[in-house]
Amino acid sequence: KSVAVPWYIWCSVLAVTSAMIGAHWDISWHRSIGRDGFWTPAHVAIYLCGVLAGISCAYLILSATFAPVAGLQEASVKMWGFRGPLGAFISAWGGVTMITSAPFDNWWHNAYGLDVKTVSPPHVVLAVRIFSIAVGALLLTLAEQNSASASDRRRLEWMLALIGGLVLMNLAVFLTESSE
């Protein structure tokens, strides 16, 4: 019996979805209410993206490195002594840098107040990291699709479409905010 969509792909999709919901919520909050605190639900939703991507992809990388699973070892790349899927390395990097950039964003708001434009340096870093997590999710899904049965491949195609839509949404938010 095959698994249609692996848990780590669902986790990646949930991560990027959470970031997109949080980003729209945060922008709405900034425009209607003003400067918000660090621990608002919108910020938690955004940074949940980095946590989910970081934990799930770190698990994949550590599993491929220290407890080789059949199929995962052969379909992995080696980096700094670790093995894992390329998409997992990209998403994990995005997740870690996203979480480490959170204090920078908080400092920026404390130093300069509400952004004149939503596209401030910390927000650019955040958008790029969300994009890298989504690209990692795309690569993980494509890798899974290559070895999937015909019926599972169809489900994975839907996941690719969903992730692609989230990538476009991230790009649209960034371009819309930078054009005002």
Side-chain angles (χ1 to χ4, degrees):
K1 182 178 177 185
S2 64
V3 177
V5 179
W7 67 270
Y8 51 86
I9 293 175
W10 281 111
C11 196
S12 297
V13 170
L14 178 63
V16 180
T17 302
S18 179
M20 289 296 88
I21 291 170
H24 284 281
W25 191 355
D26 191 42
I27 290 167
S28 298
W29 188 295
H30 280 237
R31 287 185 175 180
S32 61
I33 298 171
R35 170 72 172 110
D36 51 354
F38 183 74
W39 289 106
T40 63
H43 289 162
V44 171
I46 291 168
Y47 290 108
L48 181 63
C49 174
V51 171
L52 287 172
I55 290 172
S56 63
C57 292
Y59 175 82
L60 278 175
I61 293 166
L62 293 174
S63 293
T65 303
F66 299 112
V69 178
L72 187 57
Q73 185 81 14
E74 297 81 26
S76 63
V77 296
K78 190 172 186 178
M79 182 182 294
W80 298 325
F82 292 99
R83 293 195 68 84
L86 178 61
F89 278 109
I90 293 171
S91 284
W93 172 73
V96 168
T97 55
M98 187 177 180
I99 296 303
T100 58
S101 73
F104 176 51
D105 183 46
N106 197 43
W107 169 82
W108 184 275
H109 282 293
N110 287 335
Y112 300 106
L114 182 63
D115 299 319
V116 175
K117 296 228 178 221
T118 304
V119 181
S120 63
H123 290 171
V124 171
V125 169
L126 190 62
V128 170
R129 298 309 165 239
I130 293 168
F131 180 75
S132 69
I133 291 169
V135 167
L138 282 170
L139 291 174
L140 286 170
T141 306
L142 286 169
E144 188 67 31
Q145 188 180 24
N146 285 340
S147 62
S149 67
S151 62
D152 290 344
R153 199 170 296 127
R154 183 76 176 145
R155 291 183 187 104
L156 289 163
E157 287 170 358
W158 282 105
M159 294 304 284
L160 284 170
L162 177 58
I163 298 166
L166 292 168
V167 168
L168 289 175
M169 186 183 286
N170 186 33
L171 185 61
V173 167
F174 185 75
L175 291 176
T176 301
E177 291 302 318
S178 65
S179 68
E180 291 181 352

